[in-house]
């Protein structure tokens, strides 16, 4: 998959949150998406994937689909809002 496609990354992030059914950090979502693609998660790739996932999560929050709450340390836990 090409994470340069905005529609694809939002859809993938949304799917991941639906599949797990639990709050997740941006990094957890990025790791899961990279693993699903069979792509290694070196620190540089994971950092870039985390930036893209974060942008997708912010779009979902703006649309009222997802919300963030304070998680461990300075991380945010993202979850889907009920329709």
């Amino acid at each position: 998959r090409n994470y340069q496609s905005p529609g694809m990354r939002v859809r993938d992030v949304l799917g991941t949150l639906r599949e797990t059914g639990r709050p997740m950090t941006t990094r957890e979502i990025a790791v899961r998406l990279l693993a699903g693609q069979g792509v290694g998660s070196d620190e540089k790739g994971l950092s870039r994937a985390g930036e893209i996932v974060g942008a997708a999560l912010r779009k979902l929050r703006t649309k009222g689909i997802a919300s963030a709450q304070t998680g461990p340390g300075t991380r945010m836990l993202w979850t889907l809002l009920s329709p």
Side-chain angles (χ1 to χ4, degrees):
R1 289 190 181 161
N2 178 1
Y3 278 105
Q4 301 307 314
S5 168
M8 182 176 289
R9 68 178 169 236
V10 171
R11 182 173 49 245
D12 290 343
V13 169
L14 187 57
T16 299
L17 284 170
R18 283 185 178 142
E19 287 172 12
T20 62
R22 65 173 179 82
M24 297 179 76
T25 65
T26 302
R27 185 178 184 94
E28 288 174 321
I29 296 168
V31 167
R32 190 174 177 103
L33 289 175
L34 289 173
Q37 292 184 340
V39 177
S41 56
D42 64 340
E43 198 56 41
K44 184 177 179 181
L46 188 55
S47 176
R48 177 66 183 135
E51 290 172 9
I52 293 169
V53 167
L57 287 165
R58 288 187 295 278
K59 286 181 185 179
L60 290 171
R61 180 175 54 193
T62 299
K63 292 181 178 184
I65 297 171
S67 69
Q69 56 189 325
T70 304
T74 59
R75 296 185 178 167
M76 299 299 288
L77 289 173
W78 291 87
T79 189
L80 293 178
L81 296 173
S82 299

